[in-house]
Amino acid sequence: MKQIWAILSGAPDADRVVPPTGFTVWLTVFSAAAMAFLAVFALALSLAAERLSVRWGQELARTSTVRISAPSAQEALQTAAALTVLETTPGVARARALSDAEQEALLAPWFGADLPLDALPIPRLIEVVEAGAGYDAEGLRARLAAEAPGAILDDHTRWRRPLIEAANRLRTIGWVSLLLIMLSMAAMITLAAQSALAANAGVIRTLRLVGARDSYIARAFVHRFTMRAALGAGLGTVLAMGAVAALPTADVAGGFLTGLGFWGASWLLPLLIPPLAGGVGFAATRAAALRALRKMP
Amino acid sequence: MIELHKAGYSYGQDAILRDVSLQLAPGSFHFLTGPSGAGKSTLLKLCYGDLLANTGTVKLLGQDARDLSRDALAKVRQRIGVVHQDCQFLDHLSITQNVALPLAVSGRDVEAEAENLAQLLAWVGLSPRAHALPPELSGGERQRAALARAIIMGPDVILADEPTGNVDWEMSQRLLSLLVELNKMGKTVLIATHDLGLIRAAKAQVSARVLRLAGGSVQLAGADL
């Protein structure tokens, strides 16, 4: 804790003893910025996939459909019978038969707007909205079979599960990407720190000859790389947040990609990336410095 | 203070020091002389823990050098001031900052020591050059700055490796006077040099023991010095 405070407060004495290192400063800052930029998008992807998974799970789990496939003469009768069964089924909040216009609208993307619904043997659809813990699907199927033989209950389980699974995997990929980005940042900072330590072998020798402990020497490098990683990550995060904010909205384009973004309080999450990058820089440089100093004669 | 008992050191197969026994008592003044390549710098490095003896034992301020951890060695070095032959400055820091380096690395408040630092620079005659960078100094000024850095922590022992190697006669006399003055303050001094003139000049000012390093071992030098 004391050392972290020393890093944040500047550790000016330790930092000054190592000479400035020119272009490697900008390489470290640039790499950290690039990694943070990618990290923001990985975070946005994870959050979007999570929202999708939750939405699909909630929406699809609470609705189901009953199809009435009966000869046209019996369709109205069986529809009414099915509605009566549904209205008296515990766990069903409401059920209603879709109108011809609604059914046409559903089929329009595939068959066009001027679909002659009367001329086609299209089953009547009943939308069922569940209440509380939902209904007993097997019991409902049995009752429908008895009262309306042409009624088929589709509770969406068959295709809901793979969709939710896909969204969950996408979310996992997003978090794994975030982790890989942070590990890459740690590897990059470790390499840069090792290079700086090797380039300053003479300085390190002088410091040791005048009585410097390894922790003091390490602090000079740790402070430098922590600040560079945090600064670069700050720049990358700001740019990426701007890019995310500039993505088209769902109203304009529609589809999954338009959901890639942050909403409400989730805009605060990317702001954790710069301090996290600073933490990664601190840990990676400290480990690299102490390891390198142990090996130096 | 510093004690070597049958200490030996080899660079690969070449044994440069063999069975060297030496004791630097508190307040004593020693010269270590011998031809170039005799091992004077190596012996000095054993005395501040920069090298570890291959054989025998070396005790630094009462502790076996082999048993010292890195941190413990750092503490010992804060009590042994060394004037290195090549000065070992950080070229991007000013002379004041270089002289203050032992204070900074030991965690002392350099700002609070500013007055002592200024007095020390005045004592070695470097006040006008306090803000210069090491490459801007002459050989004599660098050696005096190195001496100032060696004593800033108030060490018990001062080791100097060819402190007058790159300076003229007048400057070497000035450096010698500073070291003699420190010895009179109670500091133990060991100077490695091949400058016999310097040794003769010192013997007129201080009771110094002269050791000759030849063939890997140390002998007390004769009265011809």
Side-chain angles (χ1 to χ4, degrees), chain A residues 13-20 200 202-217 219 224 292-297, chain B residues 45 48 50 70-75 77-78 80 82 84 87-90 92-93 97-98 101-102 104-108 110-111 149 153:
Chain A
D13 283 342
D15 193 27
R16 200 167 40 202
V17 297
V18 182
N200 287 292
V203 171
I204 291 168
R205 176 165 167 69
T206 298
L207 290 172
R208 278 187 165 156
L209 288 175
V210 298
R213 295 195 299 173
D214 283 359
S215 56
Y216 177 90
I217 300 169
R219 203 157 68 227
R224 192 165 285 206
L293 289 169
R294 266 197 303 274
K295 284 183 189 163
M296 284 184 183
Chain B
K45 285 179 179 178
Y48 61 86
D50 197 25
R70 277 203 190 278
D71 282 0
L73 180 61
K75 275 201 158 179
R77 282 181 178 165
Q78 289 168 12
I80 299 177
V82 184
H84 300 275
C87 295
Q88 296 276 355
F89 286 129
L90 299 183
H92 65 287
L93 298 183
Q97 288 169 327
N98 266 288
L101 206 51
V105 302
S106 64
R108 280 163 65 173
V110 176
E111 298 292 322
R149 188 182 64 185
M153 295 288 285

Side-chain angles (χ1 to χ4, degrees), chain B residues 33-46:
Chain B
T33 187
S36 289
K40 298 189 294 293
S41 295
T42 301
L43 182 54
L44 245 65
K45 285 179 179 178
L46 292 180

